[in-house]
Amino acid sequence: MSELPPPIKINPPLINSANPWASGDVDLERLYLCPSTGAVTTRTATLDGFQHDEAIHRYTFFDPSSPEASKSTNLTPQEASKAPAQKASLNTLGYSPYALIQYLQWIYKIYTTCSGTQPIKPFIISVTGTPTEVSECYTCIADYLSEYITAGHIYMEINLSCPNIPNKPPPAYSKDALVEYFRRLRFTMRDKLRPDLPRLPFGIKTPPYTHSSEYNELISALEEEGDQVSFITCTNTLGSCLVLSPEGDPVLPGNGIGGMAGAALHPLALGNVATIRRMLDERPSLKHITVIGIGGVEDEKGYKRMRAAGAGVVGVGTALGVKGVEVFEEIEKGLKGGW
């Protein structure tokens, strides 16, 4: 495949990230109907659904300027908004308990029931699994939502960066692992048994890189087999983080170690966006890839910083959990039309 992959088109360039506040049909419809979102990202799904354990898989908010956090976990936006200083989050979550097919059914229903009320906006369907399973996800999405893919409304994000899965390090840290995914998808697109299926634009979600060798692994994999990638979502949560209660106990279950997001991650996310954008632009075969910047954006100032760093689209995660969908309208109002 030498031709460029299909581009993503998101306007306005403001979306939610794949997170727990985009898990169910009510969440997705609320995000879809929000006039300030340009697209909606689903929570990361697997073919059969992730084995969610309420006693293990939790999240909490905390004030990044304080070494302590409250004991509360899994607060709703209405509850979290009562403590506005808690702009960062920590979670021990895995993936969505809902199977991929459930998300496809919900998206189809939203499109068919809301089509007459507003212009259609894209869905970014976040998935994960082995290379073979992700290939199956690709085929499943392309089959179920073919008419909307043809119209340019469906994209697939491959989450290769969750830090909370025991004994499964994020594949996006390894060139060899990334190449395996890219080759499998290339095979699926080139030699698919269903020639009637449309071409589905896809991208990958990366972890927070902290060393030049990690960026080099990514770029080397893209140069070798990833020229069909349409976008990169950076960044996911930062693993191996811990917040403690005022008494010095882990707030989250077990040893309390989880993935950090929100305001505390913002400088690192900006650095990832800027570095990846620069490295893509230095390579003609990769310049077409759009960077979706995620990490600590909570207002129009954070949005502007992400755009200045090189993000073509900006995503919101923790702030959605703290403020609800109103955060998107707040950002748009602050921008005064200056997307």
Side-chain angles (χ1 to χ4, degrees):
M1 292 184 178
S2 57
E3 75 278 7
L4 292 178
I8 61 171
K9 298 179 181 180
I10 298 175
N11 184 36
L14 180 63
I15 65 174
N16 66 290
S17 65
N19 59 53
W21 308 286
S23 294
D25 56 340
V26 174
D27 299 325
L28 298 179
E29 184 171 356
R30 186 181 295 119
L31 287 161
Y32 187 83
L33 293 176
C34 176
S36 301
T37 58
V40 177
T41 307
T42 70
R43 187 175 178 184
T44 300
T46 60
L47 286 171
D48 300 317
F50 181 79
Q51 294 300 310
H52 178 81
D53 185 337
E54 191 69 17
I56 298 174
H57 302 115
R58 311 287 292 178
Y59 63 83
T60 189
F61 300 107
F62 66 97
D63 180 351
S65 67
S66 169
E68 299 177 342
S70 69
K71 292 183 178 180
S72 301
T73 62
N74 286 33
L75 296 178
T76 66
Q78 291 76 18
E79 295 168 328
S81 63
K82 297 177 183 178
Q86 295 189 343
K87 300 179 179 181
S89 63
L90 190 77
N91 80 78
T92 53
L93 299 169
Y95 305 116
S96 175
Y98 302 110
L100 174 61
I101 188 62
Q102 181 67 81
Y103 282 103
L104 302 186
Q105 292 168 350
W106 284 335
I107 291 170
Y108 186 82
K109 181 179 179 181
I110 290 173
Y111 275 151
T112 54
T113 58
C114 300
S115 60
T117 61
Q118 66 178 57
I120 293 180
K121 66 177 65 173
F123 271 93
I124 302 173
I125 303 173
S126 186
V127 303
T128 195
T130 67
T132 298
E133 290 167 344
V134 166
S135 178
E136 291 180 34
C137 289
Y138 180 100
T139 301
C140 186
I141 296 170
D143 190 19
Y144 200 95
L145 297 173
S146 59
E147 62 183 293
Y148 297 105
I149 296 172
T150 301
H153 300 313
I154 299 293
Y155 313 133
M156 184 178 78
E157 173 190 270
I158 310 168
N159 185 347
L160 302 178
S161 50
C162 180
N164 295 335
I165 309 302
N167 304 314
K168 292 185 179 180
Y173 282 116
S174 164
K175 173 190 173 182
D176 291 342
L178 285 167
V179 166
E180 187 176 357
Y181 279 92
F182 296 152
R183 283 178 178 165
R184 184 66 195 184
L185 283 167
R186 183 183 293 272
F187 176 81
T188 299
M189 291 184 290
R190 183 185 61 201
D191 299 325
K192 58 191 177 186
L193 299 177
R194 292 279 306 281
D196 57 308
L197 293 181
R199 177 76 178 278
L200 173 62
F202 73 89
I204 60 171
K205 187 172 187 178
T206 56
Y209 295 134
T210 60
H211 191 272
S212 60
S213 62
E214 295 168 341
Y215 293 105
N216 291 335
E217 290 281 300
L218 168 68
I219 297 300
S220 182
L222 289 169
E223 288 184 303
E224 183 170 327
E225 287 286 347
D227 62 323
Q228 293 306 301
V229 170
S230 294
F231 64 95
I232 295 174
T233 304
C234 64
T235 174
N236 207 327
T237 59
L238 179 65
S240 297
C241 294
L242 175 68
V243 294
L244 302 174
S245 71
E247 295 74 28
D249 300 316
V251 174
L252 294 178
N255 61 14
I257 301 294
M260 183 184 67
L265 185 66
H266 191 56
L268 181 57
L270 289 174
N272 271 245
V273 169
T275 302
I276 290 175
R277 180 70 271 164
R278 174 181 56 79
M279 295 181 78
L280 294 174
D281 287 341
E282 290 172 348
R283 294 157 174 84
S285 64
L286 303 179
K287 292 179 66 174
H288 66 276
I289 297 175
T290 297
V291 174
I292 299 177
I294 294 175
V297 174
E298 61 186 58
D299 54 26
E300 76 278 4
K301 295 179 181 178
Y303 173 93
K304 289 179 179 179
R305 286 191 291 267
M306 272 294 180
R307 293 283 277 170
V313 178
V314 177
V316 176
T318 296
L320 172 60
V322 173
K323 300 181 179 181
V325 295
E326 291 76 16
V327 67
F328 299 104
E329 298 176 37
E330 177 185 322
I331 291 172
E332 181 178 20
K333 183 178 179 180
L335 291 171
K336 299 178 181 179
W339 292 108

